[in-house]
Amino acid sequence: MATLIAPSNHSPAEDAEAIRKAVKGWGADEKAIISILGHRNASQRTQIREAYQNLFQEDLIKRLESELSGDFERAMYRWIWEPAEREALLANLALKSADKNYQVIVEISCVLSPEELFVVRRAYHNKYKRSLEEDVAANTTGHLRQLLVGLVSSFRYGGSEVNAKLAESEADALHEAIKNKNKSNGEIIRILTTRSKTQLVATFNRYRDGHGIAITKKLSDEGSDEFHKAANLAISCINDRKKYYEKVLRNAIEGVGTDEEALTRVIVTRAEKDLKEIKEVYYKRNSVHLEHAVAKETSGDYKKFLLTLMGKED
Amino acid sequence: MAFNQELEALTKAFSGHGVDEKSLVTILGKWDPLERESFRKNTPHSFIEDHERHFQRWDDHYVRLLKHEFVRFKNAVVLWTMHPWERDARLVKEALKKGPSAYGVLVEVACTRSSEELLGARKAYHSLFDHSIEEDVASHIHGIERKLLVALVSAYRYEGTKVKDETAKSEAKILSNAIKNVHKKPINEDDEVIRILATRSNKHLRAVYKHYKEIAGKNLDEDLDDLRFKETVQCLCTPQIYFSKVLNAALRIDVDKNTKKSLTRVIVTRADIDIKDIKTEYHNLYGVSLPQNIEEVARGNYKDFLLNLIARG
């Protein structure tokens, strides 16, 4: 369930006016911006952008970019887009980043439904005048490339049918392929990038039952290169996405310093989807409420914005 | 008409693509038993003479072939009325069942449809067969063709006009080097070649094609020995030439049934898209007009149907 609290009716023109008031003059009234945009869903935000453009002949996003700064600006910049455009943006940023963090590519292609992924690919065409798979392919090599291109190009069958025999045979095939140390990665890639999600979950279960070890554990035992890491991420996302997101959040918050990029990404992309369930999983795992942990690790407008998206009432 | 002429007309009615229903009705329909016996005795490839018992029986194999010809019109009608998405999904499924000799159809569907049409076909495939196209292609094809074919059916190419000429030039060079080194690394294992062919936009690939000709002096598809790669480049860069070649191969009298089927497939799938350009290219390549070739080789309702589809363009 979503954690975002948004009114059922709003006036885009009024909102645009109010935001205009908040950004005019010296400095910006971040509180006002958060209280409006932090309580609007995707279609409402799009309407506000349109109203703002019509009323003031200016792109709201560009205005916010110039008026805000730091982690708050980055969070707001990601929040204001429609989901598909946002995912396309995140994918492109990941491909351009220096540390070549492809976790985002795996996450987008494995968490979204096949239809949602296609809308993202379309948004990517419009934004960047290239296809997503073309950019992923041009920025990666070898088995990692084949895996990532396969994942972003997939249009999995979305039904709930499971072929138990196939699950068993492919669980065995995966086991053999993993043991074969990089000589059979083609089989791993084929299964992970083409089978339906329900079929894969059945396969992963068969794997554990049949071989006494979780497939993710086996994969990480056999190799820690980029390919194995990415394959593991894909399996985690497909198997249990809430658990996956809990781990991303936990890693972002724990330890020295906070990974704001990851924290922002999870909260902004899931606030309208299943952040409520993710919060519950987080609490179960860490005995601390997510809001509490975020409040401890962040500050200022950035903190206020994240908490608003998580459903905190003033 | 004299009997000999009728015999000739009837033999013609049964030969080629489809059957000439009109002749069958008017000529065969009025023949008496003696004339029909004369027909049986004079067409030895369709009837077998039983000398011991003094009668002529239909050749079983020929009757089976005849069935295909009668049904050719029906198949064309069914294919033409089908939603393009269902049509392409079924063409892919059929090609996978037929095996390696039919995999060219996979390349054809993946590379000559627009991005949205291919997406539609993938959706229809889900609905019809409870699997994704890429899943079935990947699990049916185990050999060296798998990488390329899975990549082609999964593509969602950018369709705009923006092309970075620098990139096209450097990718033409990559292809040229890959082709020169084919004895060291076979083309279907070259990830870079597959990446370029399976992810780049059509406009970009045509720029690559042009630069390749400047670098290597020959056309890219001519320098590729692997049939699938050749077909891929032809479909993406010179589709009208590709379709003209497929049509020309199908418009012969004694071709195998798979090649024959491509006549219906190409005409039906291109009638709304680029049949006019294909007609022009066909004339350039072969010096004969496509309608004329069809007139010579096809029969009856099937022939009229095809000619109608082409004339719309």
Side-chain angles (χ1 to χ4, degrees), chain A residues 118 121-122 125 129 131 133-134 137 145-146 153-157 187 190 194-195, chain B residues 116 119 122-123 126 130 132 134-135 138 146 154 156-158 191-192 195 199-200:
Chain A
F118 236 101
R121 288 168 83 179
R122 204 175 275 137
H125 278 194
K129 312 299 180 207
S131 65
E133 59 266 30
E134 142 174 41
R145 172 199 281 182
Q146 285 173 43
S153 311
S154 68
F155 188 51
R156 303 177 198 265
Y157 172 62
E187 269 302 277
R190 171 185 74 79
T194 66
R195 292 300 184 197
Chain B
E116 294 299 327
L119 166 60
R122 291 169 84 177
K123 288 187 191 163
H126 282 193
D130 291 347
S132 63
E134 59 268 30
E135 156 174 30
R146 180 205 277 184
S154 309
Y156 184 53
R157 300 176 200 261
Y158 168 65
D191 284 343
E192 278 293 277
R195 167 183 75 76
T199 67
R200 291 301 188 197

mmCIF file of all heavy atoms in Angstrom, chain A residues 118 121-122 125 129 131 133-134 137 145-146 153-157 187 190 194-195, chain B residues 116 119 122-123 126 130 132 134-135 138 146 154 156-158 191-192 195 199-200:
data_model
loop_
_atom_site.group_PDB
_atom_site.id
_atom_site.type_symbol
_atom_site.label_atom_id
_atom_site.label_comp_id
_atom_site.label_asym_id
_atom_site.label_seq_id
_atom_site.Cartn_x
_atom_site.Cartn_y
_atom_site.Cartn_z
ATOM 1 N N PHE A 118 7.764 -1.736 -19.996
ATOM 2 C CA PHE A 118 7.678 -1.265 -21.363
ATOM 3 C C PHE A 118 7.399 0.225 -21.418
ATOM 4 O O PHE A 118 7.924 0.936 -22.278
ATOM 5 C CB PHE A 118 6.621 -2.047 -22.156
ATOM 6 C CG PHE A 118 7.206 -2.663 -23.381
ATOM 7 C CD1 PHE A 118 7.526 -4.005 -23.404
ATOM 8 C CD2 PHE A 118 7.500 -1.888 -24.482
ATOM 9 C CE1 PHE A 118 8.122 -4.563 -24.524
ATOM 10 C CE2 PHE A 118 8.087 -2.441 -25.609
ATOM 11 C CZ PHE A 118 8.396 -3.786 -25.620
ATOM 12 N N ARG A 121 10.563 1.926 -20.969
ATOM 13 C CA ARG A 121 11.386 1.896 -22.184
ATOM 14 C C ARG A 121 10.923 2.956 -23.170
ATOM 15 O O ARG A 121 11.720 3.604 -23.844
ATOM 16 C CB ARG A 121 11.325 0.505 -22.821
ATOM 17 C CG ARG A 121 12.085 -0.530 -22.026
ATOM 18 C CD ARG A 121 11.778 -1.923 -22.488
ATOM 19 N NE ARG A 121 12.577 -2.279 -23.648
ATOM 20 C CZ ARG A 121 12.516 -3.471 -24.244
ATOM 21 N NH1 ARG A 121 11.685 -4.386 -23.792
ATOM 22 N NH2 ARG A 121 13.257 -3.734 -25.282
ATOM 23 N N ARG A 122 9.608 3.139 -23.261
ATOM 24 C CA ARG A 122 9.059 4.150 -24.147
ATOM 25 C C ARG A 122 9.476 5.542 -23.656
ATOM 26 O O ARG A 122 9.879 6.399 -24.439
ATOM 27 C CB ARG A 122 7.538 4.038 -24.172
ATOM 28 C CG ARG A 122 6.900 4.603 -25.419
ATOM 29 C CD ARG A 122 5.415 4.340 -25.428
ATOM 30 N NE ARG A 122 5.087 3.028 -25.956
ATOM 31 C CZ ARG A 122 4.177 2.220 -25.419
ATOM 32 N NH1 ARG A 122 3.518 2.574 -24.347
ATOM 33 N NH2 ARG A 122 3.922 1.058 -25.961
ATOM 34 N N HIS A 125 12.960 6.293 -24.649
ATOM 35 C CA HIS A 125 13.055 6.739 -26.056
ATOM 36 C C HIS A 125 12.842 8.248 -26.114
ATOM 37 O O HIS A 125 13.593 8.988 -26.735
ATOM 38 C CB HIS A 125 11.930 6.119 -26.902
ATOM 39 C CG HIS A 125 12.203 4.730 -27.369
ATOM 40 N ND1 HIS A 125 11.480 4.108 -28.353
ATOM 41 C CD2 HIS A 125 13.114 3.822 -26.977
ATOM 42 C CE1 HIS A 125 11.925 2.889 -28.530
ATOM 43 N NE2 HIS A 125 12.919 2.679 -27.713
ATOM 44 N N LYS A 129 16.287 9.811 -26.736
ATOM 45 C CA LYS A 129 16.418 9.543 -28.173
ATOM 46 C C LYS A 129 17.237 8.299 -28.478
ATOM 47 O O LYS A 129 17.895 8.220 -29.503
ATOM 48 C CB LYS A 129 17.052 10.744 -28.906
ATOM 49 C CG LYS A 129 16.426 12.069 -28.562
ATOM 50 C CD LYS A 129 14.962 12.111 -28.920
ATOM 51 C CE LYS A 129 14.360 13.455 -28.572
ATOM 52 N NZ LYS A 129 12.921 13.349 -28.291
ATOM 53 N N SER A 131 17.278 3.783 -27.339
ATOM 54 C CA SER A 131 16.563 2.772 -26.569
ATOM 55 C C SER A 131 17.367 2.454 -25.311
ATOM 56 O O SER A 131 18.591 2.585 -25.287
ATOM 57 C CB SER A 131 16.348 1.507 -27.388
ATOM 58 O OG SER A 131 17.583 0.898 -27.689
ATOM 59 N N GLU A 133 17.909 -0.453 -24.011
ATOM 60 C CA GLU A 133 18.814 -1.595 -24.187
ATOM 61 C C GLU A 133 20.068 -1.203 -24.949
ATOM 62 O O GLU A 133 21.153 -1.744 -24.695
ATOM 63 C CB GLU A 133 18.105 -2.769 -24.882
ATOM 64 C CG GLU A 133 17.543 -2.497 -26.239
ATOM 65 C CD GLU A 133 16.077 -2.100 -26.195
ATOM 66 O OE1 GLU A 133 15.653 -1.498 -25.180
ATOM 67 O OE2 GLU A 133 15.379 -2.362 -27.182
ATOM 68 N N GLU A 134 19.928 -0.240 -25.861
ATOM 69 C CA GLU A 134 21.091 0.207 -26.624
ATOM 70 C C GLU A 134 22.116 0.847 -25.699
ATOM 71 O O GLU A 134 23.324 0.581 -25.791
ATOM 72 C CB GLU A 134 20.542 1.117 -27.709
ATOM 73 C CG GLU A 134 21.209 2.318 -28.157
ATOM 74 C CD GLU A 134 20.467 2.932 -29.353
ATOM 75 O OE1 GLU A 134 19.226 2.965 -29.363
ATOM 76 O OE2 GLU A 134 21.150 3.383 -30.258
ATOM 77 N N ALA A 137 23.646 -1.820 -23.339
ATOM 78 C CA ALA A 137 24.602 -2.657 -24.068
ATOM 79 C C ALA A 137 25.896 -1.920 -24.330
ATOM 80 O O ALA A 137 26.980 -2.487 -24.229
ATOM 81 C CB ALA A 137 23.984 -3.124 -25.387
ATOM 82 N N ARG A 145 26.698 -7.733 -19.507
ATOM 83 C CA ARG A 145 25.920 -7.086 -20.558
ATOM 84 C C ARG A 145 24.754 -7.970 -20.978
ATOM 85 O O ARG A 145 23.618 -7.519 -21.071
ATOM 86 C CB ARG A 145 26.777 -6.781 -21.781
ATOM 87 C CG ARG A 145 25.947 -6.274 -22.960
ATOM 88 C CD ARG A 145 26.667 -6.414 -24.260
ATOM 89 N NE ARG A 145 27.638 -5.351 -24.446
ATOM 90 C CZ ARG A 145 28.391 -5.217 -25.546
ATOM 91 N NH1 ARG A 145 28.285 -6.086 -26.511
ATOM 92 N NH2 ARG A 145 29.252 -4.229 -25.645
ATOM 93 N N GLN A 146 25.058 -9.246 -21.237
ATOM 94 C CA GLN A 146 23.981 -10.127 -21.695
ATOM 95 C C GLN A 146 22.874 -10.199 -20.669
ATOM 96 O O GLN A 146 21.691 -10.199 -21.013
ATOM 97 C CB GLN A 146 24.535 -11.531 -21.926
ATOM 98 C CG GLN A 146 25.349 -11.647 -23.184
ATOM 99 C CD GLN A 146 26.002 -13.008 -23.261
ATOM 100 O OE1 GLN A 146 25.355 -14.004 -22.969
ATOM 101 N NE2 GLN A 146 27.259 -13.041 -23.621
ATOM 102 N N SER A 153 15.145 -5.962 -21.637
ATOM 103 C CA SER A 153 14.387 -6.250 -22.854
ATOM 104 C C SER A 153 13.264 -7.236 -22.613
ATOM 105 O O SER A 153 12.490 -7.517 -23.527
ATOM 106 C CB SER A 153 15.288 -6.862 -23.927
ATOM 107 O OG SER A 153 16.444 -6.113 -24.082
ATOM 108 N N SER A 154 13.176 -7.769 -21.415
ATOM 109 C CA SER A 154 12.212 -8.850 -21.198
ATOM 110 C C SER A 154 10.789 -8.327 -21.227
ATOM 111 O O SER A 154 10.521 -7.183 -20.874
ATOM 112 C CB SER A 154 12.489 -9.522 -19.847
ATOM 113 O OG SER A 154 12.178 -8.625 -18.792
ATOM 114 N N PHE A 155 9.900 -9.150 -21.696
ATOM 115 C CA PHE A 155 8.470 -8.850 -21.632
ATOM 116 C C PHE A 155 7.833 -10.152 -21.179
ATOM 117 O O PHE A 155 7.268 -10.894 -21.968
ATOM 118 C CB PHE A 155 7.955 -8.393 -22.990
ATOM 119 C CG PHE A 155 6.533 -7.889 -22.945
ATOM 120 C CD1 PHE A 155 6.153 -6.937 -22.014
ATOM 121 C CD2 PHE A 155 5.579 -8.361 -23.830
ATOM 122 C CE1 PHE A 155 4.849 -6.467 -21.964
ATOM 123 C CE2 PHE A 155 4.274 -7.899 -23.788
ATOM 124 C CZ PHE A 155 3.913 -6.949 -22.859
ATOM 125 N N ARG A 156 8.003 -10.424 -19.876
ATOM 126 C CA ARG A 156 7.643 -11.726 -19.340
ATOM 127 C C ARG A 156 6.142 -11.976 -19.413
ATOM 128 O O ARG A 156 5.341 -11.061 -19.286
ATOM 129 C CB ARG A 156 8.076 -11.831 -17.870
ATOM 130 C CG ARG A 156 9.549 -11.592 -17.637
ATOM 131 C CD ARG A 156 9.887 -11.640 -16.166
ATOM 132 N NE ARG A 156 11.149 -11.011 -15.884
ATOM 133 C CZ ARG A 156 12.307 -11.656 -15.795
ATOM 134 N NH1 ARG A 156 12.344 -12.969 -15.977
ATOM 135 N NH2 ARG A 156 13.415 -11.011 -15.533
ATOM 136 N N TYR A 157 5.784 -13.242 -19.623
ATOM 137 C CA TYR A 157 4.390 -13.634 -19.515
ATOM 138 C C TYR A 157 3.957 -13.357 -18.081
ATOM 139 O O TYR A 157 4.690 -13.650 -17.130
ATOM 140 C CB TYR A 157 4.249 -15.113 -19.855
ATOM 141 C CG TYR A 157 2.875 -15.657 -19.576
ATOM 142 C CD1 TYR A 157 1.767 -15.158 -20.245
ATOM 143 C CD2 TYR A 157 2.677 -16.656 -18.634
ATOM 144 C CE1 TYR A 157 0.492 -15.640 -19.975
ATOM 145 C CE2 TYR A 157 1.413 -17.155 -18.379
ATOM 146 C CZ TYR A 157 0.321 -16.631 -19.047
ATOM 147 O OH TYR A 157 -0.925 -17.110 -18.785
ATOM 148 N N GLU A 187 23.001 -20.195 -19.760
ATOM 149 C CA GLU A 187 21.785 -20.833 -19.271
ATOM 150 C C GLU A 187 21.163 -20.036 -18.138
ATOM 151 O O GLU A 187 19.952 -19.855 -18.064
ATOM 152 C CB GLU A 187 22.081 -22.260 -18.784
ATOM 153 C CG GLU A 187 21.923 -23.317 -19.864
ATOM 154 C CD GLU A 187 20.530 -23.347 -20.472
ATOM 155 O OE1 GLU A 187 19.627 -23.969 -19.909
ATOM 156 O OE2 GLU A 187 20.339 -22.712 -21.530
ATOM 157 N N ARG A 190 19.520 -17.083 -19.716
ATOM 158 C CA ARG A 190 18.276 -17.443 -20.399
ATOM 159 C C ARG A 190 17.137 -17.588 -19.411
ATOM 160 O O ARG A 190 16.073 -16.991 -19.553
ATOM 161 C CB ARG A 190 18.440 -18.752 -21.182
ATOM 162 C CG ARG A 190 17.098 -19.259 -21.723
ATOM 163 C CD ARG A 190 17.207 -20.608 -22.409
ATOM 164 N NE ARG A 190 17.387 -21.725 -21.530
ATOM 165 C CZ ARG A 190 16.425 -22.315 -20.820
ATOM 166 N NH1 ARG A 190 15.201 -21.862 -20.896
ATOM 167 N NH2 ARG A 190 16.694 -23.349 -20.046
ATOM 168 N N THR A 194 14.047 -14.690 -19.243
ATOM 169 C CA THR A 194 12.885 -14.967 -20.084
ATOM 170 C C THR A 194 11.694 -15.580 -19.361
ATOM 171 O O THR A 194 10.560 -15.325 -19.736
ATOM 172 C CB THR A 194 13.240 -15.880 -21.281
ATOM 173 O OG1 THR A 194 13.617 -17.160 -20.810
ATOM 174 C CG2 THR A 194 14.345 -15.278 -22.118
ATOM 175 N N ARG A 195 11.912 -16.371 -18.326
ATOM 176 C CA ARG A 195 10.782 -17.048 -17.681
ATOM 177 C C ARG A 195 9.891 -16.057 -16.937
ATOM 178 O O ARG A 195 10.335 -14.997 -16.512
ATOM 179 C CB ARG A 195 11.288 -18.127 -16.715
ATOM 180 C CG ARG A 195 11.952 -19.313 -17.400
ATOM 181 C CD ARG A 195 11.013 -20.013 -18.349
ATOM 182 N NE ARG A 195 11.599 -21.211 -18.941
ATOM 183 C CZ ARG A 195 11.125 -21.817 -20.016
ATOM 184 N NH1 ARG A 195 10.063 -21.343 -20.617
ATOM 185 N NH2 ARG A 195 11.715 -22.900 -20.493
ATOM 186 N N GLU B 116 6.363 -0.649 -32.040
ATOM 187 C CA GLU B 116 5.058 -0.879 -31.397
ATOM 188 C C GLU B 116 4.391 -2.141 -31.929
ATOM 189 O O GLU B 116 3.707 -2.853 -31.191
ATOM 190 C CB GLU B 116 4.132 0.320 -31.612
ATOM 191 C CG GLU B 116 4.598 1.595 -30.910
ATOM 192 C CD GLU B 116 4.681 1.448 -29.396
ATOM 193 O OE1 GLU B 116 3.877 0.714 -28.799
ATOM 194 O OE2 GLU B 116 5.590 2.061 -28.797
ATOM 195 N N LEU B 119 5.980 -5.009 -30.204
ATOM 196 C CA LEU B 119 5.463 -5.078 -28.832
ATOM 197 C C LEU B 119 4.097 -5.725 -28.818
ATOM 198 O O LEU B 119 3.800 -6.594 -27.997
ATOM 199 C CB LEU B 119 5.396 -3.668 -28.234
ATOM 200 C CG LEU B 119 4.577 -3.547 -26.936
ATOM 201 C CD1 LEU B 119 5.147 -4.412 -25.842
ATOM 202 C CD2 LEU B 119 4.514 -2.102 -26.476
ATOM 203 N N ARG B 122 4.281 -9.344 -29.137
ATOM 204 C CA ARG B 122 4.717 -9.997 -27.895
ATOM 205 C C ARG B 122 3.545 -10.107 -26.922
ATOM 206 O O ARG B 122 3.401 -11.100 -26.209
ATOM 207 C CB ARG B 122 5.870 -9.208 -27.278
ATOM 208 C CG ARG B 122 7.148 -9.314 -28.103
ATOM 209 C CD ARG B 122 8.189 -8.334 -27.645
ATOM 210 N NE ARG B 122 8.946 -8.879 -26.523
ATOM 211 C CZ ARG B 122 9.970 -8.262 -25.957
ATOM 212 N NH1 ARG B 122 10.341 -7.085 -26.403
ATOM 213 N NH2 ARG B 122 10.616 -8.798 -24.945
ATOM 214 N N LYS B 123 2.695 -9.075 -26.902
ATOM 215 C CA LYS B 123 1.516 -9.136 -26.023
ATOM 216 C C LYS B 123 0.570 -10.233 -26.482
ATOM 217 O O LYS B 123 0.070 -11.026 -25.671
ATOM 218 C CB LYS B 123 0.753 -7.805 -26.075
ATOM 219 C CG LYS B 123 1.428 -6.660 -25.394
ATOM 220 C CD LYS B 123 0.486 -5.464 -25.366
ATOM 221 C CE LYS B 123 1.231 -4.232 -24.940
ATOM 222 N NZ LYS B 123 0.517 -3.013 -25.271
ATOM 223 N N HIS B 126 1.699 -13.640 -25.470
ATOM 224 C CA HIS B 126 1.337 -13.968 -24.082
ATOM 225 C C HIS B 126 -0.058 -14.555 -24.043
ATOM 226 O O HIS B 126 -0.322 -15.584 -23.435
ATOM 227 C CB HIS B 126 1.301 -12.702 -23.212
ATOM 228 C CG HIS B 126 2.646 -12.205 -22.802
ATOM 229 N ND1 HIS B 126 2.830 -11.258 -21.826
ATOM 230 C CD2 HIS B 126 3.888 -12.508 -23.217
ATOM 231 C CE1 HIS B 126 4.109 -10.990 -21.677
ATOM 232 N NE2 HIS B 126 4.775 -11.740 -22.519
ATOM 233 N N ASP B 130 0.506 -18.341 -23.482
ATOM 234 C CA ASP B 130 0.883 -18.405 -22.066
ATOM 235 C C ASP B 130 2.382 -18.429 -21.816
ATOM 236 O O ASP B 130 2.840 -18.926 -20.800
ATOM 237 C CB ASP B 130 0.269 -19.642 -21.384
ATOM 238 C CG ASP B 130 -1.244 -19.507 -21.262
ATOM 239 O OD1 ASP B 130 -1.759 -18.401 -21.457
ATOM 240 O OD2 ASP B 130 -1.906 -20.523 -20.986
ATOM 241 N N SER B 132 6.192 -16.044 -22.930
ATOM 242 C CA SER B 132 6.674 -14.892 -23.670
ATOM 243 C C SER B 132 7.422 -15.384 -24.899
ATOM 244 O O SER B 132 7.937 -16.511 -24.918
ATOM 245 C CB SER B 132 7.598 -14.042 -22.790
ATOM 246 O OG SER B 132 8.732 -14.776 -22.430
ATOM 247 N N GLU B 134 10.285 -14.398 -26.040
ATOM 248 C CA GLU B 134 11.709 -14.628 -25.820
ATOM 249 C C GLU B 134 11.950 -15.920 -25.053
ATOM 250 O O GLU B 134 12.946 -16.606 -25.275
ATOM 251 C CB GLU B 134 12.349 -13.429 -25.111
ATOM 252 C CG GLU B 134 11.768 -13.084 -23.776
ATOM 253 C CD GLU B 134 10.652 -12.041 -23.854
ATOM 254 O OE1 GLU B 134 9.954 -11.990 -24.881
ATOM 255 O OE2 GLU B 134 10.478 -11.310 -22.870
ATOM 256 N N GLU B 135 11.015 -16.271 -24.167
ATOM 257 C CA GLU B 135 11.132 -17.500 -23.393
ATOM 258 C C GLU B 135 11.082 -18.705 -24.327
ATOM 259 O O GLU B 135 11.900 -19.623 -24.237
ATOM 260 C CB GLU B 135 9.987 -17.479 -22.388
ATOM 261 C CG GLU B 135 9.477 -18.729 -21.811
ATOM 262 C CD GLU B 135 8.427 -18.442 -20.730
ATOM 263 O OE1 GLU B 135 7.734 -17.426 -20.818
ATOM 264 O OE2 GLU B 135 8.331 -19.256 -19.813
ATOM 265 N N ALA B 138 14.158 -18.775 -26.660
ATOM 266 C CA ALA B 138 15.358 -19.187 -25.924
ATOM 267 C C ALA B 138 15.337 -20.668 -25.584
ATOM 268 O O ALA B 138 16.378 -21.326 -25.591
ATOM 269 C CB ALA B 138 15.510 -18.358 -24.651
ATOM 270 N N ARG B 146 20.875 -18.808 -31.082
ATOM 271 C CA ARG B 146 20.016 -18.367 -29.985
ATOM 272 C C ARG B 146 20.272 -16.923 -29.588
ATOM 273 O O ARG B 146 19.350 -16.126 -29.474
ATOM 274 C CB ARG B 146 20.199 -19.251 -28.754
ATOM 275 C CG ARG B 146 19.305 -18.805 -27.607
ATOM 276 C CD ARG B 146 19.841 -19.213 -26.271
ATOM 277 N NE ARG B 146 19.482 -20.578 -25.933
ATOM 278 C CZ ARG B 146 19.763 -21.166 -24.764
ATOM 279 N NH1 ARG B 146 20.407 -20.493 -23.845
ATOM 280 N NH2 ARG B 146 19.412 -22.408 -24.528
ATOM 281 N N SER B 154 13.515 -9.347 -28.655
ATOM 282 C CA SER B 154 13.345 -8.564 -27.433
ATOM 283 C C SER B 154 13.541 -7.072 -27.664
ATOM 284 O O SER B 154 13.360 -6.282 -26.745
ATOM 285 C CB SER B 154 14.362 -9.001 -26.373
ATOM 286 O OG SER B 154 14.336 -10.386 -26.204
ATOM 287 N N TYR B 156 13.301 -3.149 -28.561
ATOM 288 C CA TYR B 156 12.290 -2.089 -28.613
ATOM 289 C C TYR B 156 13.059 -0.861 -29.057
ATOM 290 O O TYR B 156 13.465 -0.023 -28.264
ATOM 291 C CB TYR B 156 11.662 -1.894 -27.235
ATOM 292 C CG TYR B 156 10.528 -0.888 -27.201
ATOM 293 C CD1 TYR B 156 9.450 -1.006 -28.073
ATOM 294 C CD2 TYR B 156 10.534 0.163 -26.299
ATOM 295 C CE1 TYR B 156 8.414 -0.093 -28.042
ATOM 296 C CE2 TYR B 156 9.499 1.080 -26.262
ATOM 297 C CZ TYR B 156 8.440 0.947 -27.133
ATOM 298 O OH TYR B 156 7.404 1.848 -27.088
ATOM 299 N N ARG B 157 13.291 -0.809 -30.377
ATOM 300 C CA ARG B 157 14.211 0.165 -30.918
ATOM 301 C C ARG B 157 13.642 1.580 -30.881
ATOM 302 O O ARG B 157 12.445 1.805 -31.048
ATOM 303 C CB ARG B 157 14.568 -0.189 -32.375
ATOM 304 C CG ARG B 157 15.213 -1.553 -32.515
ATOM 305 C CD ARG B 157 15.447 -1.897 -33.968
ATOM 306 N NE ARG B 157 15.623 -3.324 -34.143
ATOM 307 C CZ ARG B 157 16.801 -3.922 -34.252
ATOM 308 N NH1 ARG B 157 17.906 -3.208 -34.224
ATOM 309 N NH2 ARG B 157 16.872 -5.232 -34.406
ATOM 310 N N TYR B 158 14.514 2.532 -30.659
ATOM 311 C CA TYR B 158 14.165 3.937 -30.777
ATOM 312 C C TYR B 158 13.785 4.182 -32.229
ATOM 313 O O TYR B 158 14.430 3.673 -33.148
ATOM 314 C CB TYR B 158 15.374 4.786 -30.369
ATOM 315 C CG TYR B 158 15.254 6.248 -30.708
ATOM 316 C CD1 TYR B 158 14.283 7.035 -30.099
ATOM 317 C CD2 TYR B 158 16.106 6.847 -31.616
ATOM 318 C CE1 TYR B 158 14.172 8.384 -30.405
ATOM 319 C CE2 TYR B 158 15.998 8.194 -31.924
ATOM 320 C CZ TYR B 158 15.025 8.958 -31.315
ATOM 321 O OH TYR B 158 14.923 10.284 -31.620
ATOM 322 N N ASP B 191 29.778 -10.510 -29.365
ATOM 323 C CA ASP B 191 28.762 -9.742 -28.634
ATOM 324 C C ASP B 191 28.589 -8.344 -29.194
ATOM 325 O O ASP B 191 27.490 -7.790 -29.155
ATOM 326 C CB ASP B 191 29.148 -9.645 -27.150
ATOM 327 C CG ASP B 191 28.886 -10.950 -26.425
ATOM 328 O OD1 ASP B 191 28.132 -11.778 -26.985
ATOM 329 O OD2 ASP B 191 29.423 -11.156 -25.323
ATOM 330 N N GLU B 192 29.666 -7.755 -29.707
ATOM 331 C CA GLU B 192 29.565 -6.405 -30.218
ATOM 332 C C GLU B 192 28.690 -6.354 -31.462
ATOM 333 O O GLU B 192 27.866 -5.461 -31.629
ATOM 334 C CB GLU B 192 30.953 -5.850 -30.546
ATOM 335 C CG GLU B 192 31.676 -5.300 -29.326
ATOM 336 C CD GLU B 192 30.987 -4.063 -28.773
ATOM 337 O OE1 GLU B 192 31.230 -2.963 -29.278
ATOM 338 O OE2 GLU B 192 30.177 -4.219 -27.838
ATOM 339 N N ARG B 195 25.173 -6.773 -30.333
ATOM 340 C CA ARG B 195 24.714 -5.547 -29.679
ATOM 341 C C ARG B 195 24.294 -4.523 -30.716
ATOM 342 O O ARG B 195 23.200 -3.946 -30.654
ATOM 343 C CB ARG B 195 25.826 -4.958 -28.806
ATOM 344 C CG ARG B 195 25.510 -3.529 -28.357
ATOM 345 C CD ARG B 195 26.634 -2.914 -27.545
ATOM 346 N NE ARG B 195 27.790 -2.498 -28.320
ATOM 347 C CZ ARG B 195 27.851 -1.405 -29.067
ATOM 348 N NH1 ARG B 195 26.810 -0.610 -29.164
ATOM 349 N NH2 ARG B 195 28.959 -1.122 -29.723
ATOM 350 N N THR B 199 20.242 -3.725 -30.978
ATOM 351 C CA THR B 199 19.755 -2.628 -30.143
ATOM 352 C C THR B 199 19.666 -1.285 -30.861
ATOM 353 O O THR B 199 18.854 -0.444 -30.479
ATOM 354 C CB THR B 199 20.619 -2.437 -28.872
ATOM 355 O OG1 THR B 199 21.924 -1.991 -29.244
ATOM 356 C CG2 THR B 199 20.734 -3.714 -28.079
ATOM 357 N N ARG B 200 20.457 -1.065 -31.871
ATOM 358 C CA ARG B 200 20.464 0.244 -32.503
ATOM 359 C C ARG B 200 19.193 0.472 -33.314
ATOM 360 O O ARG B 200 18.563 -0.460 -33.798
ATOM 361 C CB ARG B 200 21.688 0.396 -33.423
ATOM 362 C CG ARG B 200 23.010 0.473 -32.690
ATOM 363 C CD ARG B 200 23.059 1.634 -31.720
ATOM 364 N NE ARG B 200 24.380 1.848 -31.125
ATOM 365 C CZ ARG B 200 24.612 2.559 -30.041
ATOM 366 N NH1 ARG B 200 23.614 3.124 -29.404
ATOM 367 N NH2 ARG B 200 25.835 2.716 -29.581
#
